[in-house]
Amino acid sequence: MTKDDGIRDMLRGLPVFAGPLAEFDPKAAPAEPEELFVDWLGEAIEAGVHEPHAMTVATVDADGAPSARILILKDFTSEGWWFAGTTTSAKGRELAGNPRAALLFFWGAQGRQVRIRGSVELAGPRARAADFTARPLEGRVAGLHGRQSQPLADLADIHTTAEGSRARLEADPGLAPDNWGLYCLSATEVEFWQADPDRRHTRLRYRRAHAGSPWRSELLWP
Ligand SMILES: Cc1cc2nc3c(=O)[nH]c(=O)nc-3n(C[C@H](O)[C@H](O)[C@H](O)COP(=O)(O)O)c2cc1C
């Protein structure tokens, strides 16, 4: 047996949909996906899912090449799903060039994923600064440099920069980097996926032409 065979066997031996899984009756689903998202998020929190507000955010670069990373969901309002990071990071540059993204929530213990697609808008300067200043001190210390996604010459630079940032924030707690970005994704497509131990998974997709138009939903083959 080669080393590769060992990895394949290990992977194929891992359980999936081990449960106990959540249940989902699409016939009882609300007319709008926002309500169902809030229900599922609440159930993930209640079930003790680790970081249930962490989501994969996928963007594309100027060549159409996709890129994905985990971000924290900062808010969910009638406008959409909010997240934050710097406007000069890879994701910030990609969103400036193509303001569309996909979000993915995976709540594995319940056998659930929610897939969201839509357009993204950058909030205005006051909302962006307010988002930064509302962060816990450690988050502000870590983010004040505004150099997210730039090459780092030496690990020690993180510590010296953090010490400098802490001193600046202690002197002026209202400081925020100019390139702090707060983004809102307005969805045109939201799909709820519920695993079934017998692999008869349930998929319910909502779509609408644009924000403000009515949602239509349909079941999909798993
Ligand atoms: C659990 C978790 C939460 C994260 N939350 C954020 C976040 O809210 N904002 C952020 O900019 N990066 C966050 N990150 C780091 C990103 O995944 C990523 O490394 C960073 O945003 C740079 O990505 P980019 O180079 O594609 O712009 C988080 C990472 C993890 C694992």
Side-chain angles (χ1 to χ4, degrees):
M1 193 203 302
T2 67
K3 193 176 163 212
D4 289 352
D5 288 338
I7 291 172
R8 186 193 62 200
D9 291 347
M10 178 192 72
L11 291 173
R12 289 171 187 219
L14 290 173
V16 65
F17 314 131
L21 301 175
E23 291 182 0
F24 175 45
D25 176 7
K27 290 193 210 79
E32 304 199 331
E34 292 90 344
E35 190 182 333
L36 190 53
F37 177 77
V38 171
D39 285 351
W40 279 29
L41 177 64
E43 287 172 28
I45 294 167
E46 285 232 329
V49 171
H50 288 293
E51 288 157 348
H53 55 338
M55 58 187 180
T56 301
V57 179
T59 52
V60 289
D61 68 16
D63 298 324
S67 189
R69 77 290 285 160
I70 303 277
L71 301 182
I72 291 293
L73 177 68
K74 303 290 298 274
D75 200 358
F76 179 62
T77 66
S78 57
E79 292 158 279
W81 285 257
W82 295 81
F83 54 90
T86 65
T87 57
T88 49
S89 63
K91 68 186 150 315
R93 290 194 308 272
E94 290 174 8
L95 286 169
N98 183 349
R100 292 184 293 173
L103 310 179
L104 174 68
F105 290 85
F106 173 53
W107 298 313
Q110 297 165 295
R112 285 180 167 175
Q113 67 172 349
V114 182
R115 303 168 63 181
I116 302 158
R117 302 171 78 206
S119 55
V120 177
E121 266 192 43
L122 180 63
R126 281 176 64 174
R128 288 153 50 188
D131 179 80
F132 187 83
T133 51
R135 285 161 63 91
L137 179 63
E138 289 312 320
R140 283 180 288 140
V141 167
L144 190 67
H145 59 75
R147 280 179 266 169
Q148 186 180 53
S149 308
Q150 289 181 16
L152 171 70
D154 187 335
L155 267 182
D157 293 347
I158 295 182
H159 303 294
T160 41
T161 302
E163 282 160 28
S165 295
R166 185 181 293 279
R168 288 174 62 209
L169 284 164
E170 276 165 6
D172 183 355
L175 277 180
D178 290 341
N179 64 350
W180 187 249
L182 176 66
Y183 297 92
C184 182
L185 181 142
S186 169
T188 48
E189 187 173 325
V190 186
E191 183 198 318
F192 296 83
W193 191 100
Q194 174 65 63
D196 173 80
D198 297 326
R199 306 293 196 270
R200 297 176 192 176
H201 311 305
T202 304
R203 298 177 68 183
L204 179 65
R205 181 174 66 185
Y206 294 77
R207 285 194 290 185
R208 62 179 175 182
H210 50 78
S213 60
W215 288 101
R216 295 183 195 289
S217 65
E218 61 190 339
L219 296 169
L220 301 174
W221 280 91

mmCIF file of all heavy atoms in Angstrom, residues 51 54 67 69-72 74 84-86 89-92 135 148-149 180, ligand 1:
data_model
loop_
_atom_site.group_PDB
_atom_site.id
_atom_site.type_symbol
_atom_site.label_atom_id
_atom_site.label_comp_id
_atom_site.label_asym_id
_atom_site.label_seq_id
_atom_site.Cartn_x
_atom_site.Cartn_y
_atom_site.Cartn_z
ATOM 1 N N GLU A 51 -18.422 28.657 16.376
ATOM 2 C CA GLU A 51 -18.400 29.808 15.463
ATOM 3 C C GLU A 51 -19.487 29.689 14.382
ATOM 4 O O GLU A 51 -19.184 29.639 13.183
ATOM 5 C CB GLU A 51 -17.006 29.961 14.850
ATOM 6 C CG GLU A 51 -16.039 30.464 15.898
ATOM 7 C CD GLU A 51 -14.588 30.155 15.608
ATOM 8 O OE1 GLU A 51 -14.316 29.356 14.699
ATOM 9 O OE2 GLU A 51 -13.735 30.721 16.287
ATOM 10 N N ALA A 54 -19.367 32.095 11.456
ATOM 11 C CA ALA A 54 -18.243 32.100 10.508
ATOM 12 C C ALA A 54 -18.754 31.569 9.169
ATOM 13 O O ALA A 54 -19.474 30.573 9.117
ATOM 14 C CB ALA A 54 -17.109 31.219 11.025
ATOM 15 N N SER A 67 -11.606 32.956 -5.321
ATOM 16 C CA SER A 67 -10.823 32.920 -4.093
ATOM 17 C C SER A 67 -11.824 32.839 -2.943
ATOM 18 O O SER A 67 -12.864 33.491 -2.996
ATOM 19 C CB SER A 67 -10.006 34.212 -4.018
ATOM 20 O OG SER A 67 -9.079 34.160 -2.985
ATOM 21 N N ARG A 69 -12.389 32.571 1.495
ATOM 22 C CA ARG A 69 -11.812 32.685 2.845
ATOM 23 C C ARG A 69 -12.959 32.786 3.842
ATOM 24 O O ARG A 69 -14.086 33.136 3.472
ATOM 25 C CB ARG A 69 -10.845 33.880 2.992
ATOM 26 C CG ARG A 69 -11.475 35.225 3.122
ATOM 27 C CD ARG A 69 -12.126 35.741 1.894
ATOM 28 N NE ARG A 69 -11.191 36.204 0.871
ATOM 29 C CZ ARG A 69 -11.491 36.350 -0.388
ATOM 30 N NH1 ARG A 69 -12.722 36.075 -0.822
ATOM 31 N NH2 ARG A 69 -10.610 36.767 -1.268
ATOM 32 N N ILE A 70 -12.629 32.480 5.115
ATOM 33 C CA ILE A 70 -13.647 32.572 6.173
ATOM 34 C C ILE A 70 -13.683 34.007 6.704
ATOM 35 O O ILE A 70 -12.639 34.602 6.973
ATOM 36 C CB ILE A 70 -13.292 31.633 7.349
ATOM 37 C CG1 ILE A 70 -13.128 30.185 6.888
ATOM 38 C CG2 ILE A 70 -14.326 31.772 8.470
ATOM 39 C CD1 ILE A 70 -14.390 29.406 6.749
ATOM 40 N N LEU A 71 -14.887 34.529 6.870
ATOM 41 C CA LEU A 71 -15.092 35.816 7.546
ATOM 42 C C LEU A 71 -16.218 35.640 8.551
ATOM 43 O O LEU A 71 -17.018 34.716 8.450
ATOM 44 C CB LEU A 71 -15.479 36.921 6.552
ATOM 45 C CG LEU A 71 -14.502 37.249 5.416
ATOM 46 C CD1 LEU A 71 -15.061 38.391 4.580
ATOM 47 C CD2 LEU A 71 -13.126 37.595 5.915
ATOM 48 N N ILE A 72 -16.271 36.577 9.487
ATOM 49 C CA ILE A 72 -17.331 36.555 10.490
ATOM 50 C C ILE A 72 -18.524 37.372 9.977
ATOM 51 O O ILE A 72 -18.339 38.465 9.438
ATOM 52 C CB ILE A 72 -16.809 37.148 11.826
ATOM 53 C CG1 ILE A 72 -15.762 36.202 12.450
ATOM 54 C CG2 ILE A 72 -17.951 37.418 12.800
ATOM 55 C CD1 ILE A 72 -16.288 34.866 12.922
ATOM 56 N N LYS A 74 -21.042 39.918 10.545
ATOM 57 C CA LYS A 74 -21.083 40.990 11.554
ATOM 58 C C LYS A 74 -22.511 41.419 11.883
ATOM 59 O O LYS A 74 -22.779 41.935 12.960
ATOM 60 C CB LYS A 74 -20.299 42.227 11.065
ATOM 61 C CG LYS A 74 -18.858 41.976 10.702
ATOM 62 C CD LYS A 74 -17.969 41.673 11.903
ATOM 63 C CE LYS A 74 -17.843 42.762 12.927
ATOM 64 N NZ LYS A 74 -16.821 43.752 12.661
ATOM 65 N N ALA A 84 -16.745 42.321 7.327
ATOM 66 C CA ALA A 84 -15.748 43.398 7.373
ATOM 67 C C ALA A 84 -14.340 42.876 7.125
ATOM 68 O O ALA A 84 -14.031 41.710 7.383
ATOM 69 C CB ALA A 84 -15.807 44.102 8.735
ATOM 70 N N GLY A 85 -13.490 43.762 6.638
ATOM 71 C CA GLY A 85 -12.068 43.474 6.371
ATOM 72 C C GLY A 85 -11.525 44.708 5.664
ATOM 73 O O GLY A 85 -12.275 45.673 5.489
ATOM 74 N N THR A 86 -10.276 44.692 5.244
ATOM 75 C CA THR A 86 -9.772 45.925 4.629
ATOM 76 C C THR A 86 -10.099 45.987 3.135
ATOM 77 O O THR A 86 -10.160 44.965 2.448
ATOM 78 C CB THR A 86 -8.246 46.075 4.807
ATOM 79 O OG1 THR A 86 -7.608 45.023 4.101
ATOM 80 C CG2 THR A 86 -7.846 46.060 6.268
ATOM 81 N N SER A 89 -7.198 44.603 0.966
ATOM 82 C CA SER A 89 -6.843 43.174 0.992
ATOM 83 C C SER A 89 -7.242 42.550 -0.348
ATOM 84 O O SER A 89 -7.879 43.199 -1.185
ATOM 85 C CB SER A 89 -7.611 42.479 2.126
ATOM 86 O OG SER A 89 -9.006 42.547 1.867
ATOM 87 N N ALA A 90 -6.894 41.279 -0.524
ATOM 88 C CA ALA A 90 -7.278 40.598 -1.774
ATOM 89 C C ALA A 90 -8.786 40.656 -1.964
ATOM 90 O O ALA A 90 -9.282 40.984 -3.042
ATOM 91 C CB ALA A 90 -6.779 39.152 -1.742
ATOM 92 N N LYS A 91 -9.535 40.345 -0.898
ATOM 93 C CA LYS A 91 -11.004 40.349 -1.055
ATOM 94 C C LYS A 91 -11.521 41.747 -1.351
ATOM 95 O O LYS A 91 -12.456 41.924 -2.135
ATOM 96 C CB LYS A 91 -11.695 39.760 0.175
ATOM 97 C CG LYS A 91 -11.567 40.594 1.422
ATOM 98 C CD LYS A 91 -12.134 39.875 2.607
ATOM 99 C CE LYS A 91 -11.405 40.275 3.869
ATOM 100 N NZ LYS A 91 -9.946 40.329 3.840
ATOM 101 N N GLY A 92 -10.908 42.763 -0.713
ATOM 102 C CA GLY A 92 -11.330 44.142 -0.953
ATOM 103 C C GLY A 92 -11.084 44.558 -2.390
ATOM 104 O O GLY A 92 -11.954 45.161 -3.033
ATOM 105 N N ARG A 135 -15.110 47.282 17.576
ATOM 106 C CA ARG A 135 -14.427 46.003 17.763
ATOM 107 C C ARG A 135 -13.758 45.956 19.130
ATOM 108 O O ARG A 135 -13.352 46.993 19.660
ATOM 109 C CB ARG A 135 -13.342 45.821 16.683
ATOM 110 C CG ARG A 135 -13.897 45.478 15.308
ATOM 111 C CD ARG A 135 -12.878 45.766 14.220
ATOM 112 N NE ARG A 135 -11.673 44.950 14.351
ATOM 113 C CZ ARG A 135 -11.520 43.767 13.765
ATOM 114 N NH1 ARG A 135 -12.476 43.267 13.018
ATOM 115 N NH2 ARG A 135 -10.406 43.091 13.907
ATOM 116 N N GLN A 148 -3.532 44.238 5.875
ATOM 117 C CA GLN A 148 -4.024 42.869 5.656
ATOM 118 C C GLN A 148 -3.738 42.400 4.230
ATOM 119 O O GLN A 148 -3.970 43.134 3.271
ATOM 120 C CB GLN A 148 -5.531 42.834 5.914
ATOM 121 C CG GLN A 148 -6.122 41.446 5.862
ATOM 122 C CD GLN A 148 -7.625 41.470 6.128
ATOM 123 O OE1 GLN A 148 -8.363 42.203 5.491
ATOM 124 N NE2 GLN A 148 -8.068 40.671 7.071
ATOM 125 N N SER A 149 -3.202 41.204 4.127
ATOM 126 C CA SER A 149 -2.890 40.515 2.864
ATOM 127 C C SER A 149 -1.610 41.001 2.189
ATOM 128 O O SER A 149 -1.252 40.497 1.121
ATOM 129 C CB SER A 149 -4.052 40.562 1.856
ATOM 130 O OG SER A 149 -5.244 40.120 2.435
ATOM 131 N N TRP A 180 -10.471 50.493 6.312
ATOM 132 C CA TRP A 180 -11.349 49.481 6.925
ATOM 133 C C TRP A 180 -12.624 49.391 6.101
ATOM 134 O O TRP A 180 -13.278 50.402 5.837
ATOM 135 C CB TRP A 180 -11.677 49.833 8.376
ATOM 136 C CG TRP A 180 -12.420 48.705 9.036
ATOM 137 C CD1 TRP A 180 -13.720 48.689 9.427
ATOM 138 C CD2 TRP A 180 -11.886 47.407 9.350
ATOM 139 N NE1 TRP A 180 -14.045 47.460 9.948
ATOM 140 C CE2 TRP A 180 -12.939 46.656 9.917
ATOM 141 C CE3 TRP A 180 -10.629 46.807 9.201
ATOM 142 C CZ2 TRP A 180 -12.771 45.333 10.322
ATOM 143 C CZ3 TRP A 180 -10.469 45.500 9.608
ATOM 144 C CH2 TRP A 180 -11.525 44.778 10.171
HETATM 145 C C1 LIG B 1 -12.867 31.936 12.037
HETATM 146 C C2 LIG B 1 -12.224 33.019 11.187
HETATM 147 C C3 LIG B 1 -12.779 34.280 11.188
HETATM 148 C C4 LIG B 1 -12.234 35.294 10.406
HETATM 149 N N1 LIG B 1 -12.857 36.511 10.375
HETATM 150 C C5 LIG B 1 -12.369 37.478 9.562
HETATM 151 C C6 LIG B 1 -13.085 38.717 9.421
HETATM 152 O O1 LIG B 1 -14.182 38.933 9.962
HETATM 153 N N2 LIG B 1 -12.530 39.674 8.610
HETATM 154 C C7 LIG B 1 -11.353 39.455 7.940
HETATM 155 O O2 LIG B 1 -10.913 40.367 7.223
HETATM 156 N N3 LIG B 1 -10.682 38.293 8.025
HETATM 157 C C8 LIG B 1 -11.164 37.287 8.813
HETATM 158 N N4 LIG B 1 -10.507 36.082 8.897
HETATM 159 C C9 LIG B 1 -9.268 35.905 8.092
HETATM 160 C C10 LIG B 1 -9.649 35.624 6.622
HETATM 161 O O3 LIG B 1 -10.030 34.272 6.462
HETATM 162 C C11 LIG B 1 -8.516 35.964 5.624
HETATM 163 O O4 LIG B 1 -7.321 35.325 6.009
HETATM 164 C C12 LIG B 1 -8.256 37.468 5.524
HETATM 165 O O5 LIG B 1 -9.486 38.179 5.468
HETATM 166 C C13 LIG B 1 -7.425 37.797 4.282
HETATM 167 O O6 LIG B 1 -8.105 37.327 3.156
HETATM 168 P P1 LIG B 1 -7.815 37.942 1.695
HETATM 169 O O7 LIG B 1 -6.325 37.966 1.525
HETATM 170 O O8 LIG B 1 -8.481 37.005 0.744
HETATM 171 O O9 LIG B 1 -8.419 39.324 1.649
HETATM 172 C C14 LIG B 1 -11.051 35.048 9.646
HETATM 173 C C15 LIG B 1 -10.490 33.766 9.647
HETATM 174 C C16 LIG B 1 -11.078 32.765 10.392
HETATM 175 C C17 LIG B 1 -10.473 31.364 10.348
#
